[in-house]
Each structure stands twice: as structure tokens, then as C-alpha cells.
Amino acid sequence: FDGSIIAPNAMQNLVWHSQRIPEGSTFRTVDKSNLLECSDRWCRPVYAGVGPDGGVYIADWYDTRLSHVSPTDDWHKESGRVYRIVPEGARASYTDGDLHELSGEELIKRFDHPNKWVRRRAMLELGWRGDQSVVDDLAMRVDQGSLESLWALNLMGELTSQRAGNWLANDDPHIRRWVVRLLGDRHENHPRLPGLAASENDVQVRSQLASTAKRLSSNDAIPIIAALVGRNEDAEDPHMPLMNWWALEAHADAWTQIESMLTAPTIWQLPMFDQHIAGRLMQRYAAAGTQDDLQRCARLLELAPSDESRGRLMVGLNRAFQGQAVPPLPESLAAALDHFQSKIGDSGLIIGLR
């Protein structure tokens, strides 16, 4: 099961087993034979996870109902089951004792344990203690690529801006990705993030940069997003165009910053912006429908440098108004629509706008 996904499906009385395959900035799955199937409708697998002994544990709710059909707490209290799955002939056992009783030094040693459960529990125990005597040791281990050490330091409140900046240049992309993630969790910017977005060679780190940019202030986020939009290699990624759009759309009301980004001489030639974002941005403002938003639509048309780019904007505008009455349009936008409609003739691209 190493590297696989084991997922309970309580509604269908089974447990899935899927192969995880890298795909661009994320992963896809291929289903393998179900790990468990049961014809008993009481069988309700609701949890699967690795245990301290390395076995896979499955919790079975074991009740015919999964929803709260009755306000009375009349659930069956004694029929739940727990299953442990281990290799045939193996004798799974746990030998590390009570982690709560271990010293900080011993807990750090557990970061090298082959079982992720032990590594994660040791990290949590150490982070909860806030033992300052281990901070330097943990920082050294982060330098060497230890995610558990990074997470422990974060729990202890020791992921400082200086340390974050240093580790954003770490050779391990997982360290860089998690520093970006943890900064986003704190809604905290770092001055190195725009430069990282422009130079980062790992697409999963770039994906995390887009996620973090959504959670920052617009002033901090727009430079990161602009750098990500300039990464032409991501234009054909199955997910990055929408990740970048998702980040930008969260800051759509920061028009001053967005307009400044759109006046850059090369952005309209970028495949990411031209093919995936321009039309969506137009649709977003048109769908909002306020006079300010419609003026922004008109400004987008002014900024578009070619008929092709204006055509993509018009597609977005058309999508915003499909199936509804068109609101009163600013004179500049109405004139632009008339001009564009006259150029394309009666192809019907701009439905209901004439």
C-alpha cells in the first residue's frame, strides 16, 4: 500500500484502494481492486489510517444509518468495529512506548522513524511542549530537509521571518512548499515570495504560491500572482491556470493593483493570461454588474492590444450575460460592443447584446 490511497466509502459499504500518480502540479488516481467490499448493509467504513504499529486501521461505524434521521440519540452503541490490516505472516507491534515520556532529544530521534505515525506524533509532542532548548537542533534539521522539524518549529512559534526567508531558498522543494504553506496559514507575506514565484522550478511549489497568494492582502498578493502568470510552462498544466485564476479572483476588487498589473507591456502576450485569465476576469466584472464593475470591463477592452485579445474578453462578457437581461452599460462599453459586433457580423457571439 506504500504510496497508495486507502479511502472508506461508507455509503457503498466498501473501502477504495487507489494508485496515486503525479500529474503536473498535483496528482491523479487510478482505482485498483477495492480493499474491502461487504454485502452487509450495516457495514459502514468511516475511517482508515496508519497506526503506531505500521498496520492499516479501519473503523466501521456498523449501523444501517449514516444520517441523523431521528433527533433522538438512539444509535447502536455496541456494534462498532475496528479492523487492522497487516502483511500476511507479519506480527505488527509497537515498541516506542509512551512518546509523552520521552525527552526532547529522544523525540527528535523519532523524526527518522520509518513509520509516519511515530514521526508525526513525536513532532506534535515536541511542538506542544515549546521546549526552547531544541530550537537550534530543529533548525539545523530543517536545513537538511526535515519536514517534521519545520512543523515542530512552527508549532512552537519559531518559524520567524528570517528562518522562513532562508528556507525559501532550501534545496528541498518540500521545505520550500511547506514554508510557503505555513506563511499562508498565518496570512503572512514574505518579501521573497514574488521572486520565488518568478524563479521556482518545482510546479507544486508554484501551486502552493497561488494558494498562499489568495490568503494575503491584495498589495502583497498581486506581485506574486503576476509572477506566476508569467510562467509560460504552466499554461498547459491541468490545474495551474485555474489555481492562478482562483488567486486573482479573490483580489478582483483591488482594481487599482490589477489595473497596474494589466498595463505591463507584455502581460497580454502571456499564454496564461491570454488563454485562461483575461476572459474570466471580464466575466467576473460583468457578472457583478455594478457600474464600477462595468467600467472595469470597458477599461479591459481599452487595454487589450489586439482583436484576438478583445475577442477573448467578449467571450467572457457573453458568458456573464447569458440567460439574463443585460444591465445598462457604460457608453464606452456599449460602443465597444457595437464595434466588435459589427466586425463579427451575425455570428451570434454576443447573444442578446444588440
Side-chain angles (χ1 to χ4, degrees):
F1 300 136
D2 189 24
S4 297
I5 295 174
I6 294 174
N9 182 337
M11 294 296 293
Q12 296 181 327
N13 318 105
L14 56 82
V15 176
W16 281 314
H17 176 206
S18 303
Q19 182 182 6
R20 187 190 65 170
I21 301 172
E23 183 180 62
S25 57
T26 184
F27 299 87
R28 64 182 176 89
T29 59
V30 174
D31 290 340
K32 306 182 78 171
S33 298
N34 291 328
L35 179 59
L36 179 151
E37 296 178 355
C38 188
S39 58
D40 182 354
R41 69 188 183 96
W42 281 60
C43 177
R44 301 293 190 181
V46 292
Y47 170 83
V50 178
D53 60 352
V56 175
Y57 284 77
I58 295 176
D60 180 1
W61 181 250
Y62 206 75
D63 200 301
T64 56
R65 298 165 299 175
L66 275 177
S67 59
H68 296 279
V69 295
S70 170
T72 305
D73 181 17
D74 59 354
W75 301 96
H76 201 290
K77 300 299 192 300
E78 300 176 357
S79 60
R81 304 172 179 183
V82 177
Y83 299 95
R84 184 179 70 175
I85 302 170
V86 295
E88 187 174 2
R91 298 180 62 184
S93 62
Y94 175 70
T95 60
D96 285 86
D98 185 351
L99 298 181
H100 184 68
E101 298 177 353
L102 299 182
S103 67
E105 182 181 353
E106 288 297 321
L107 287 171
I108 291 176
K109 289 181 180 178
R110 296 307 189 277
F111 290 178
D112 298 321
H113 198 282
N115 185 355
K116 183 173 72 173
W117 188 95
V118 177
R119 298 196 303 271
R120 295 290 175 86
R121 294 300 302 184
M123 175 271 296
L124 289 170
E125 178 66 36
L126 194 63
W128 291 331
R129 289 183 190 179
D131 182 358
Q132 296 297 304
S133 68
V134 299
V135 168
D136 289 343
D137 191 4
L138 290 173
M140 180 185 66
R141 284 175 165 263
V142 177
D143 291 338
Q144 299 167 354
S146 170
L147 282 173
E148 283 78 14
S149 297
L150 174 62
W151 296 329
L153 283 171
N154 183 64
L155 274 177
M156 297 166 67
E158 292 294 335
L159 180 55
T160 63
S161 179
Q162 180 178 349
R163 290 188 176 117
N166 291 338
W167 293 330
L168 286 172
N170 191 277
D171 290 339
D172 189 332
H174 298 299
I175 295 293
R176 301 195 299 274
R177 177 168 56 90
W178 267 99
V179 171
V180 174
R181 159 69 187 272
L182 294 172
L183 289 170
D185 288 348
R186 298 179 346 200
H187 301 267
E188 180 180 321
N189 186 41
H190 193 282
R192 297 194 68 163
L193 291 181
L196 183 66
S199 63
E200 174 58 54
N201 58 17
D202 186 280
V203 67
Q204 291 192 22
V205 180
R206 298 197 294 271
S207 179
Q208 183 59 60
L209 281 160
S211 296
T212 289
K214 182 181 184 297
R215 309 173 77 177
L216 302 178
S217 71
S218 297
N219 283 334
D220 294 329
I222 297 299
I224 299 170
I225 298 167
L228 292 172
V229 170
R231 302 301 298 266
N232 293 340
E233 66 268 47
D234 289 339
E236 301 302 322
D237 183 272
H239 308 283
M240 281 302 297
L242 288 180
M243 290 296 294
N244 290 335
W245 162 243
W246 179 60
L248 184 64
E249 196 275 338
H251 302 284
D253 290 332
W255 173 248
T256 300
Q257 294 91 327
I258 289 180
E259 184 180 29
S260 178
M261 181 181 77
L262 298 183
T263 56
T266 59
I267 191 167
W268 293 86
Q269 283 73 49
L270 296 174
M272 178 77 71
F273 182 80
D274 181 56
Q275 299 170 20
H276 301 287
I277 292 180
R280 288 184 169 92
L281 192 60
M282 186 73 152
Q283 181 178 349
R284 161 65 174 78
Y285 288 133
T290 70
Q291 284 301 300
D292 284 344
D293 286 305
L294 294 174
Q295 290 288 357
R296 292 165 185 172
C297 292
R299 178 61 174 149
L300 287 175
L301 285 171
E302 290 177 9
L303 291 171
S306 67
D307 286 344
E308 289 77 12
S309 57
R310 284 187 285 273
R312 295 188 192 277
L313 293 175
M314 289 299 185
V315 170
L317 191 73
N318 186 50
R319 288 173 177 166
F321 293 144
Q322 281 180 342
Q324 60 180 307
V326 180
L329 301 179
E331 183 177 346
S332 60
L333 182 57
L337 290 176
D338 286 340
H339 176 70
F340 188 79
Q341 190 75 61
S342 67
K343 293 184 69 172
I344 63 172
D346 295 326
S347 65
L349 176 65
I350 311 301
I351 298 174
L353 294 183
R354 300 192 70 177

